[in-house]
Amino acid sequence: MKKFGIYLLVVMMILLTACSSGDSTTSSKANESEDSGVTTVNFAAIKTFGEDSWTELINKFEAENPDIKIKLTQLPAPAKSTEIHQYLVTSLQSGQNDIDVFTGDVIWVPEFAAAGWTEPVDSYVNKADYYPGVIDALTYNGELMAVPWYVDGGMLYYRQDLLEKYDLPVPKTWDEMLETAEKIKNGENNKDLEKFVWQAKQAEVLVCDFVEFLGSAGGSILDSEGKPNVTGPEFLKALNLMQGLINDGDSPKSILTFDEEPSRTVFTDGNAIFHRNWSYVWSVAQNEEQSKVAGKVGVAPLPSFDGKSSSSTMGGYQFMVSSNSKNKEASIKFSNFLSSKENQLYFADKMAFSPTRPAALEDEGLQENNPFLASLSEVFQGTTARPISPDYPKVSLVLQSNISGVLSNTITPEEAVDQIDNELQRITSQ
């Protein structure tokens, strides 16, 4: 089995390297021996969307730090998160030091930290410079386990032209959204126009959507001590709303098969009034070659229940330093360089990645050049992390199967609450 594990790691490295859009090394001197006084940091990083973001920044860092060279291993884009996760798990679990610093999904932080694969960075990061929700999501057992990079979150897209046509305000509660959608639907007399499209496929995105419905009712899946928090009224309130949206026709039954892109297509084809999705939809919606509603779209925080606050599930990638690294100090220095305000603005400009620093989102240049990202500050004030647990993959599967059962009417919300509670009690007590 040990030989097989090593073989699997080699195969995955070959496959992942093949996904690179360029050389795996950004400098001809990246392989210099540390005996020469040069420290080589092995950096495994996702391929960013449509732009080579690493070469320019790595060259700049090396120019400022001539005693450090960065060797880049290009990982696939975040859409291949399962493959990236498996590669990182295999590599880190092996105990080898072929990765010093890497980019990782926010939901992997507690898993990797609990396994002892990542280095705490509290002493090197000023937490006050970042959104509190981001810091909370990257903290495990009281220690910050990653340097923040970019954040994403669920948000409400809406047909601004239709709200203006009927002189209706942007809704702040779920009831207001459904009332607004009903008025527009009746006025448009268009059988193909859906009221609200979201993602109900039995997949990770369903958990993301549920976290938002639950958070907007004031609830959470786990409490502050990592124990199940399922039996309160908020859990049933969220499940009942989600089920009712489909059963009452406020959302089409087809969303049971929708993840992000199929749901996005309905909206950008002009066939939905309201739509829940991530920040990437904005640029697609404004592209006349991809969207029939370009120039007609607005974005706002997701609605909430009366008296509660909007909730937006946190996504995004962060920088983690391997506990096996022999170059931790240089790796943390590089991570902080990439996470600086200046470079968060670089990523915002090049890739429309939303900064994790409020100061970056409040930057005058960003507000002028990319008002959409600047407008997300209000959305991210309500950012909510998915359950922070080393057993998150198990937690997610329990939630997916039971919530999906409720939405397809094979189990009742009450039955789902009992089953989720029992399973989470078992998982968290192990």
Side-chain angles (χ1 to χ4, degrees), residues 57-296:
L57 292 181
I58 289 175
N59 287 343
K60 182 179 179 182
F61 177 81
E62 290 180 342
E64 295 176 1
N65 300 273
D67 58 337
I68 302 174
K69 298 299 177 185
I70 307 299
K71 182 180 179 182
L72 172 67
T73 296
Q74 186 80 81
L75 304 178
K80 299 288 186 182
S81 62
T82 300
E83 291 90 335
I84 298 170
H85 177 266
Q86 186 57 55
Y87 165 69
L88 291 172
V89 167
T90 305
S91 180
L92 296 169
Q93 200 170 39
S94 72
Q96 300 178 22
N97 57 6
D98 54 339
I99 296 178
D100 293 302
V101 59
F102 58 94
T103 57
D105 193 315
V106 64
I107 63 172
W108 303 339
V109 171
E111 175 191 358
F112 289 7
W117 297 335
T118 51
E119 188 73 10
V121 294
D122 294 79
S123 301
Y124 308 94
V125 174
N126 185 357
K127 300 178 187 179
D129 289 340
Y130 299 91
Y131 284 107
V134 176
I135 295 298
D136 289 345
L138 304 184
T139 298
Y140 182 74
N141 280 350
E143 293 185 302
L144 185 65
M145 303 304 298
V147 177
W149 178 18
Y150 77 90
V151 67
D152 204 351
M155 56 198 70
L156 183 71
Y157 291 90
Y158 60 90
R159 286 286 300 278
Q160 187 171 19
D161 60 325
L162 293 179
L163 266 65
E164 291 175 353
K165 178 179 178 180
Y166 294 93
D167 195 25
L168 296 168
V170 178
K172 295 186 179 298
T173 69
W174 296 113
D175 286 341
E176 288 173 0
M177 186 194 75
L178 295 178
E179 291 171 4
T180 299
E182 182 71 15
K183 290 178 182 177
I184 294 174
K185 172 81 172 177
N186 291 338
E188 291 297 291
N189 194 27
N190 178 357
K191 64 180 180 61
D192 295 325
L193 187 63
E194 304 293 351
K195 297 177 186 176
F196 178 44
V197 177
W198 43 293
Q199 302 84 33
K201 181 179 180 179
Q202 187 172 330
E204 180 61 28
V205 71
L206 176 59
V207 179
C208 295
D209 286 32
F210 176 70
V211 165
E212 291 164 352
F213 284 111
L214 179 62
S216 72
S220 63
I221 296 167
L222 302 179
D223 63 21
S224 59
E225 297 180 353
K227 301 299 182 182
N229 193 31
V230 177
T231 56
E234 299 85 3
F235 223 85
L236 267 180
K237 202 170 187 178
L239 288 174
N240 282 325
L241 173 61
M242 296 169 74
Q243 184 186 55
L245 288 170
I246 299 173
N247 288 350
D248 297 341
D250 295 311
S251 297
K253 292 188 183 298
S254 56
I255 68 166
L256 292 170
T257 66
F258 284 1
D259 54 19
E260 288 89 341
E261 272 298 274
S263 64
R264 188 275 301 168
T265 300
V266 174
F267 182 72
T268 54
D269 280 350
N271 293 322
I273 302 166
F274 294 104
H275 175 48
R276 179 268 171 210
N277 216 318
W278 308 99
S279 59
Y280 84 96
V281 170
W282 177 259
S283 60
V284 180
Q286 301 307 320
N287 186 331
E288 293 183 356
E289 295 181 359
Q290 298 177 276
S291 171
K292 296 179 181 178
V293 293
K296 302 177 181 179

Side-chain angles (χ1 to χ4, degrees), residues 343-359:
N343 287 326
Q344 290 207 0
L345 289 172
Y346 171 90
F347 285 112
D349 177 59
K350 294 287 187 180
M351 273 72 64
F353 284 178
S354 184
T356 47
R357 293 173 175 265

Side-chain angles (χ1 to χ4, degrees), residues 371-390:
F372 167 69
L373 280 182
S375 72
L376 295 184
S377 180
E378 185 180 1
V379 171
F380 293 146
Q381 292 296 340
T383 298
T384 304
R386 279 162 282 180
I388 300 174
S389 167

